[in-house]
Each structure stands twice: as structure tokens, then as C-alpha cells.
Amino acid sequence: MASVLGVRNKVLPVIEATLPHFRRCRKRGRLANICQNFCSGGSHDMQEPQFGFLFDIDGVMVRGRKVLPSARSALRLLTDGHGHFRVPTIFVTNAGNTLRQNKASQLSEWLGIEIQPQQVVMSHSPLKMFTQFFDKHVLVSGQGPVLEIAHNLGFQRVTTIEALRHRFPNLDVVDHRRRKAPPCAFEKYFPRIDALLLFGEPIRWETNLQLLVDVLLTNGQPSQAPQSISKPHIPVLACNMDLFWMAEACMPRYGHGTFMLCLESLYRKITGNELKYTALVGKPSELTYHHSEFVLTQQAREMGIEAPIRTVYCIGDNPETDIYGANLYNRYLRSQLTRRRKKSQQGGGVRETSIRSVADILDWENDYGTVESFESILVFTGVYSSNNDYNPNDGVNFNHRDFLLYPELKKPTHEANNVLEAVKLVYEREGFS
């Protein structure tokens, strides 16, 4: 009896201390796994990770629609026997041609594990922070369900390039087979366009380039020729600056960054002025990593993880975007670490504010500021190949022109042959099993 009482006195305080954690884990389906570890005397699986993963998709998990051999094995390390994630994990892609719930479903099918929509960050996801444009009339360029994507982000008055082309049939004349006689001339009643949203590379580049330049030159009113060129032009918000991306081909393919380069060159050639962006989001923008940090820490809370997330490991295949962006944001974190800690100590919830600029967003601090570093891991299964070694000081800059070239930021913190080796490397560094 004395031995039984002794065991009870030792076990009850442990149960009482961990009860809140058990309740949270029950909601996530992890309770059975925890109980099994507890009863078997195992303690290593009870440890809470103080790190998380940020995965690129193209070139890391898949090549086009082909799943890379190491991807499913890496996911098995990240999940328990019931398919629940053991470590906070999100997928950050520069794709912008679908809704994040659709991308989550696609990933789930590819990888054989359930990926939740809140684990996915698309290139356009950070635009939901630009609330000052939600009631403006915006013109959206890209492919896929762009109208639905814009509405899902919060934009209320949206016109697509295709709708504008039908409204102004005389503007798109490159392909003579698509030319149509204009309907009744109601163009002058078309409401002025207040801003441009560039989600990704379109299908017909000539149509989009022509109409976007028309709208810029006419200050949002393409119904009449401009008397002079407006300066500044209407706001432009762009997603995904990748010059290249990796699909099934043996060489990288043109990305949205190439389309943006064409648009910038045309505008400068015609006006003599540079095209200015109100916002650039998607990797390597700091805004995307800022938003991803919030998404990752929110996921950790939903998983019932009490330990603060200190390190985020960013795994990608492109030194110019994945690696550069992670290192760029890590530099920002280092410079702001003292201020973020003070803000965290003061407490308080998320501050409701209207975001007016990029600086506002990066200064939009709240109580999730526990992350101290972003570490980059380059894998050799995508844009970068170990057979073609890169030199960070070669002076070549594939990044967007508005990102200054810091050669040292193209060099990863770590390297791995594939995503499975990358996950194993992190587990070893963190002492996690």
C-alpha cells in the first residue's frame, strides 16, 4: 500500500501539471500518442519543439506534378503514426494561381498526408494585410481563379484583364483572330481603376502587357488617350518575383519575375520613368516571411505547444529567392530582436490597425514575437544543382531590381542533398527524435 501511495503522489502532480496540455492535444488528435509514450515510460516524444519548418514546394517536394522521392519520407519524420504533425510545419510557395485550400488539397494528395489550408502560404497571402485597398476598384492580372482569389483576400471591387478586354475590345489587337467589333460605346462609363494586382504570370502575355500599360498611362481610365503621363502612377501590388522556377524540364522555366521585367521595361521605354511598386510580396520579400512567422507560431499554439518557437528552418531550392529571403528576414530579426523582446514582455493582444505601408507591416508587432532566427537550408533537387556550383560573389543578380544585391545573403546556412536529409539535419541539431 505504501508503494502504491508513493507512486500516486509522484504521478498526480505530473498529471495535474500537464492536464491543460492534454486537453489541447486531445483537440488535435494527439492524446492517444502522448498517453502511450507516458505509460511506456518514454519521455523523448514528450519534448516540445522550439523550432519549426518552412518548406518551399516546387523543387523541394515536387517537380511540376511529379513528387520527389524524398518528400514522403521527410513527411513521415515530421508526423506521428496517426498523420498528425509533431513539429510546426508550413508550406510557403510563390505560386499564385489558386486558393490556399486548393493548394492544401493538392499537397495532401501528392504527399499522402493531410495538409491543412492554414499550413499553406501562397505568394498573394500577405496582400490581406493591405486593407486600405479592399474597397478600391482593382484590376487583377494572372491565371487561375483570379477573381475568387482577390475576393477571398478581401478585395471587393475587382475587374479581371479578360473582363477589361471585353469592355474595351479595341485595345487588344495583337491576335487578329480575337479582334471583335466593339459593342455600344459605354466605355466612358467604366469606373476608374484605382490599383493593379499582379498575382502571377498570365497565359497571354501580349494582352496583359498591353492592357496593364494602357491603364498605367491613362491613370486608370483607358476610355480616352492621356493628355500627359501621370506621375506618380496608380498603385501596383505584385506577387511572386521569381525570374525562374523548376518544373519537369531539365532547365528552369520563366516565372512571374520575367513577366514583371517585361512590364517594367515597356513602361520605362514608353514614359522614360520607372515603374514603382506599392508592395512586392512572395519570396524573397520580408513581408512574406513576416506573415509566415505569424502563421507558423499560430499553428504551434493550435498544436498545444507551450514552448516558444525560437528557430525557423527554411528549406528551399533557389538561392535567389528561398535562401536570399530567409537570410534577409533573419537579418531583420537580428536587428529587431531587442525591441521584439520588450514588446513581448509588455504583453497585449494583436493590435487592430490599418496597414498603410510595408514599413507599417514590418513594425506591426504583437505577442507572437518569440522567433529569434530564420536558418536557410539549400537542397539540390530544384533550381540549384550541385553540378553547377554557385559563387555568391559572381555579381549575377536574378532577384527583382528593387532588392539590393547582398551576395552574402545567397549563401545558405546549411546544405542538403534533398528534403529528407534536410529534416534529419535539423533533428540532429535540435536533439529531437
Side-chain angles (χ1 to χ4, degrees):
M1 178 65 72
S3 62
V4 171
L5 289 174
V7 171
R8 186 189 67 176
N9 292 336
K10 290 180 180 179
V11 171
L12 280 180
V14 175
I15 293 177
E16 290 172 356
T18 56
L19 188 58
H21 178 66
F22 270 50
R23 286 171 177 163
R24 282 188 293 271
C25 291
R26 180 173 58 188
K27 295 178 181 179
R28 300 290 297 174
R30 300 171 64 215
L31 184 56
N33 193 38
I34 290 175
C35 288
Q36 181 180 359
N37 291 328
F38 183 81
C39 294
S40 64
S43 61
H44 64 279
D45 283 340
M46 289 289 288
Q47 69 183 115
E48 289 192 335
Q50 291 188 281
F51 64 97
F53 285 102
L54 187 159
F55 290 101
D56 181 36
I57 298 175
D58 293 304
V60 175
M61 295 292 179
V62 300
R63 288 273 296 268
R65 295 182 178 274
K66 181 181 179 182
V67 179
L68 290 169
S70 58
R72 291 194 179 97
S73 299
L75 265 293
R76 282 195 291 270
L77 280 183
L78 293 171
T79 55
D80 59 21
H82 305 283
H84 302 118
F85 280 88
R86 303 165 56 214
V87 179
T89 301
I90 62 173
F91 301 85
V92 182
T93 175
N94 264 354
N97 60 347
T98 189
L99 297 163
R100 68 173 185 168
Q101 52 264 40
N102 295 340
K103 178 58 74 173
S105 297
Q106 187 181 54
L107 278 173
S108 300
E109 181 181 349
W110 283 343
L111 301 176
I113 196 76
E114 185 177 2
I115 308 296
Q116 300 294 330
Q118 57 266 32
Q119 289 180 267
V120 176
V121 175
M122 307 295 294
S123 65
H124 47 64
S125 295
L127 290 182
K128 65 182 64 177
M129 294 185 282
F130 287 84
T131 56
Q132 72 271 28
F133 291 102
F134 284 179
D135 62 347
K136 305 295 184 183
H137 183 200
V138 297
L139 175 66
V140 58
S141 168
Q143 59 178 286
V146 291
L147 188 63
E148 187 179 1
I149 293 170
H151 285 314
N152 189 263
L153 290 169
F155 298 94
Q156 301 164 19
R157 302 169 56 206
V158 184
T159 295
T160 65
I161 289 288
E162 193 62 24
L164 186 68
R165 174 181 170 271
H166 282 292
R167 191 65 178 266
F168 297 90
N170 285 331
L171 296 182
D172 182 26
V173 298
V174 172
D175 187 343
H176 295 285
R177 294 169 299 178
R178 299 175 76 216
R179 295 184 67 174
K180 295 181 180 179
C184 298
F186 293 119
E187 291 96 335
K188 64 180 180 180
Y189 300 109
F190 185 78
R192 177 180 180 269
I193 293 169
D194 300 307
L196 303 182
L197 300 183
L198 309 182
F199 282 162
E201 63 270 22
I203 301 297
R204 287 184 172 269
W205 285 33
E206 81 283 358
T207 295
N208 288 61
L209 288 171
Q210 177 72 78
L211 269 60
L212 289 171
V213 171
D214 288 338
V215 171
L216 287 167
L217 294 180
T218 60
N219 200 31
Q221 297 175 308
S223 57
Q224 55 187 359
Q227 298 300 313
S228 60
I229 303 300
S230 254
K231 191 177 179 180
H233 55 69
I234 62 175
V236 181
L237 293 81
C239 316
N240 179 6
M241 297 150 279
D242 282 353
L243 196 69
F244 302 117
W245 69 289
M246 202 66 185
E248 294 91 342
C250 61
M251 295 178 290
R253 302 292 83 194
Y254 291 150
H256 189 221
T258 310
F259 175 81
M260 291 168 62
L261 181 62
C262 295
L263 179 63
E264 294 155 12
S265 299
L266 279 172
Y267 185 79
R268 184 179 180 86
K269 186 74 172 180
I270 294 169
T271 68
N273 303 320
E274 278 201 354
L275 182 67
K276 302 291 185 181
Y277 294 94
T278 301
L280 289 169
V281 298
K283 297 176 290 187
S285 168
E286 291 165 294
L287 291 181
T288 291
Y289 290 90
H290 185 82
H291 178 67
S292 299
E293 178 191 349
F294 173 76
V295 172
L296 188 73
T297 50
Q298 286 294 103
Q299 189 200 5
R301 290 178 180 178
E302 292 175 6
M303 292 172 66
I305 295 175
E306 294 284 350
I309 302 301
R310 299 297 186 192
T311 307
V312 177
Y313 292 93
C314 306
I315 301 176
D317 68 305
N318 192 336
E320 307 287 344
T321 54
D322 305 315
I323 304 307
Y324 191 95
N327 291 339
L328 184 65
Y329 190 67
N330 185 62
R331 187 175 66 172
Y332 164 77
L333 281 182
R334 297 289 185 186
S335 68
Q336 300 297 323
L337 186 56
T338 300
R339 185 167 64 87
R340 289 168 64 86
R341 280 175 173 168
K342 289 180 179 178
K343 186 72 175 179
S344 178
Q345 291 169 0
Q346 291 172 359
V350 176
R351 179 173 54 141
E352 295 295 334
T353 183
S354 178
I355 302 301
R356 295 295 172 187
S357 67
V358 171
D360 287 340
I361 294 175
L362 289 177
D363 290 337
W364 192 45
E365 299 293 338
N366 52 42
D367 63 352
Y368 70 85
T370 65
V371 176
E372 297 176 359
S373 66
F374 269 52
E375 296 198 17
S376 55
I377 304 179
L378 178 66
V379 295
F380 305 150
T381 50
V383 169
Y384 172 80
S385 170
S386 57
N387 296 324
N388 300 306
D389 199 13
Y390 68 95
N391 177 5
N393 299 305
D394 58 10
V396 177
N397 183 16
F398 290 151
N399 282 338
H400 188 266
R401 54 133 216 242
D402 288 354
F403 286 80
L404 297 177
L405 176 60
Y406 297 105
E408 67 276 11
L409 296 185
K410 295 196 294 182
K411 186 173 179 60
T413 313
H414 312 282
E415 295 179 350
N417 286 321
N418 54 55
V419 66
L420 176 60
E421 288 190 13
V423 171
K424 289 180 177 179
L425 182 152
V426 172
Y427 276 12
E428 183 178 351
R429 284 178 54 82
E430 296 289 337
F432 192 82
S433 59

